[in-house]
């Protein structure tokens, strides 16, 4: 059974959705691409997601270890899998991500797939930046992207 909960994070409320076996969504308020709502509830996946998010936001967790089940096209799945290989505190460009999935000319498509990432933060699309080193779009807003990158550089993260 699919259930959801609201997690009050330092970057604002996040909706977590579990299918009972894996996390399927982690969304900011007012997402650009609405997710399928799920009734409020609780399960072990959501408990563990909250525990790991608490540790991440406290600067104590560098790699999430959660079962994930993001829904997307095969191309999106490849892009999201590549995001999981970007180390904590590191960044990559969209071009580097395109090359990492074997499609070096697909940087725009990679950007679009990143924008559809249903499990933000845990699948770290915030670690992908423009070729000039600038922050580009982020589903949670560029300000949140900046704050997540600062957290991963060791700067304290205060609540929004």
């Amino acid at each position: 059974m699919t259930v959801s909960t609201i997690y009050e994070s330092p970057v604002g409320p996040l909706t977590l959705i579990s299918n009972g076996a894996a996390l399927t969504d982690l969304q900011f308020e007012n997402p650009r691409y609405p997710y399928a709502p799920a009734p409020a509830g609780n399960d072990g996946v959501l408990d563990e997601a909250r525990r790991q998010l608490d540790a991440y936001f406290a600067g104590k967790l560098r790699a999430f270890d959660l079962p994930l089940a993001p829904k997307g096209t095969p191309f999106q799945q490849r892009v999201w899998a590549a995001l999981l290989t970007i180390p904590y505190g590191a960044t990559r460009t969209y071009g580097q991500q395109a090359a990492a999935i074997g499609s070096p000319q697909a940087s725009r498509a990679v950007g679009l797939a990143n924008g559809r990432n249903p499990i933000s933060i845990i699948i770290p699309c915030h670690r992908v930046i423009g070729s000039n080193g600038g922050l580009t779009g982020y589903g949670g807003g560029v300000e949140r992207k900046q704050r997540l990158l600062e957290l991963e550089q060791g700067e304290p993260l205060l609540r929004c």
Side-chain angles (χ1 to χ4, degrees):
M1 181 173 139
T2 301
V3 294
S4 69
T5 190
I6 303 297
Y7 173 78
E8 295 296 337
S9 84
V11 294
L14 305 172
T15 299
L16 307 175
I17 301 177
S18 163
N19 65 11
L23 193 67
T24 62
D25 292 88
L26 184 157
Q27 300 289 326
F28 294 104
E29 278 186 304
N30 306 313
R32 183 180 311 156
Y33 304 106
Y35 51 87
N42 198 32
D43 66 16
V45 172
L46 294 176
D47 289 341
E48 185 60 18
R50 282 190 298 267
R51 188 189 71 70
Q52 290 188 32
L53 285 164
D54 284 344
Y56 171 79
F57 285 118
K60 297 177 181 175
L61 181 77
R62 293 177 169 255
F64 290 95
D65 183 19
L66 289 167
L68 304 176
K71 296 176 197 89
T73 67
F75 179 80
Q76 289 170 332
Q77 296 285 342
R78 286 180 27 228
V79 170
W80 302 335
L83 290 171
L84 291 168
T85 69
I86 304 173
Y88 180 94
T91 58
R92 299 288 184 270
T93 67
Y94 291 96
Q96 288 171 323
Q97 284 303 99
I101 65 165
S103 299
Q105 303 302 315
S107 58
R108 285 182 187 253
V110 164
L112 292 172
N114 281 1
R116 290 284 192 160
N117 174 10
I119 308 177
S120 294
I121 301 172
I122 294 172
I123 298 177
C125 53
H126 62 277
R127 295 179 187 156
V128 182
I129 60 174
S131 60
N132 65 359
L135 300 186
T136 57
Y138 183 60
V142 174
E143 178 184 294
R144 280 193 182 105
K145 183 174 190 167
Q146 178 70 43
R147 294 178 76 207
L148 292 168
L149 292 172
E150 289 170 354
L151 167 70
E152 293 185 7
Q153 295 300 316
E155 296 182 30
L157 187 63
L158 304 173
R159 292 196 179 268
C160 288

